[in-house]
C-alpha cells in the first residue's frame, strides 16, 4: 500500500499544473507596451501588435498583485507573458500619461541585476535598464522611469 502511494506521488505532482505567473519569481516579459485595445479575447500593444488572450489569462498589478480586468488595460503600460502563441499573463506596470514624451513610473523594491542588465524587483517585475542607468542598491524602494517607446528604464531613483 505504501509503495503504491509513493509511486503515485509524481503523477499527483504533475496534475497540479503550471505555477501562477505570480509564483514564478522574475517575470521576464515576452512582449510589452501600451495597451491600445484589450478585452477577454485580444490585446493590442502600441497600436501595432494584436495578440490572442488565453481564456485562463492572469491579469494583475505588479506591486500589489490586485486583479485587473481586461477593461482596465487600455492606456496602461503592461508586460505580457506568452505561451503557445497566447497571452497567459498581463502585469500592469503603470498608467501612461498623455504628452509629447510619455514616461511610465513604476515603483518597487530592487532585488538584483540579471545577466542581461535587467533590474529584477521583489514583486517579480523585470525592467531593462538603458545604457548609462545604474542599478540601485539591493533592498531599496526604487522609482523607475520607463520610456514606453523604447521599453527601457531611463532613470532610477532610490527613495529615502
Amino acid at each position: 500500500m505504501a509503495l503504491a502511494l509513493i509511486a503515485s506521488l509524481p503523477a499527483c505532482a504533475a496534475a497540479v499544473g503550471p505555477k501562477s505567473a505570480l509564483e514564478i519569481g522574475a517575470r521576464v516579459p515576452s512582449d510589452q507596451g501600451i495597451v491600445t485595445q484589450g478585452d477577454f479575447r485580444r490585446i493590442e500593444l502600441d497600436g501595432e501588435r494584436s495578440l490572442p488572450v488565453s481564456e485562463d489569462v492572469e491579469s494583475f498589478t505588479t506591486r500589489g498583485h490586485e486583479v485587473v480586468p481586461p477593461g482596465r488595460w487600455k492606456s496602461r503600460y503592461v508586460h505580457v507573458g506568452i505561451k503557445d502563441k497566447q497571452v497567459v499573463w498581463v502585469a500592469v506596470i503603470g498608467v501612461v500619461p498623455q504628452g509629447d514624451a510619455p514616461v511610465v513610473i513604476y515603483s518597487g523594491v530592487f532585488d538584483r541585476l540579471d545577466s542581461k542588465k535587467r533590474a529584477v524587483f521583489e514583486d517579480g517585475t523585470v525592467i531593462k535598464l538603458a545604457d548609462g542607468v545604474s542599478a540601485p542598491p539591493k533592498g531599496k524602494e526604487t522609482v523607475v522611469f520607463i520610456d514606453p517607446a523604447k521599453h527601457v528604464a531611463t532613470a532610477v531613483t532610490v527613495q529615502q
Side-chain angles (χ1 to χ4, degrees):
M1 175 78 159
L3 186 55
L5 179 61
I6 292 170
S8 70
L9 285 177
C12 290
V16 171
K19 289 183 175 184
S20 163
L22 296 173
E23 299 173 330
I24 61 173
R27 290 182 311 276
V28 177
S30 303
D31 203 345
Q32 56 196 307
I34 300 169
V35 178
T36 47
Q37 295 293 325
D39 59 32
F40 285 102
R41 288 186 232 160
R42 298 198 77 71
I43 187 170
E44 181 181 84
L45 299 177
D46 301 324
E48 301 171 351
R49 301 176 304 288
S50 181
L51 306 164
V53 174
S54 167
E55 64 182 38
D56 298 324
V57 68
E58 291 181 72
S59 176
F60 49 89
T61 61
T62 53
R63 186 66 186 257
H65 298 155
E66 291 90 10
V67 173
V68 179
R72 298 208 47 225
W73 292 341
K74 192 169 182 176
S75 300
R76 306 280 198 268
Y77 187 78
V78 301
H79 285 174
V80 299
I82 299 172
K83 183 178 179 186
D84 299 328
K85 299 181 182 179
Q86 291 188 324
V87 174
V88 294
W89 57 264
V90 177
V92 177
I93 303 296
V95 176
V96 181
Q98 301 300 313
D100 293 336
V103 173
V104 177
I105 299 173
Y106 161 82
S107 68
V109 177
F110 179 73
D111 183 43
R112 67 185 186 283
L113 199 60
D114 75 6
S115 63
K116 294 186 178 181
K117 198 179 179 196
R118 296 178 297 208
V120 179
F121 293 84
E122 287 183 358
D123 64 18
T125 302
V126 177
I127 301 173
K128 177 136 178 67
L129 300 179
D131 290 338
V133 176
S134 299
K138 180 178 175 61
K140 293 293 186 178
E141 182 69 34
T142 305
V143 175
V144 180
F145 299 87
I146 302 167
D147 179 334
K150 295 181 181 176
H151 310 296
V152 297
T154 57
V156 173
T157 303
V158 175
Q159 296 298 294
Q160 301 301 325

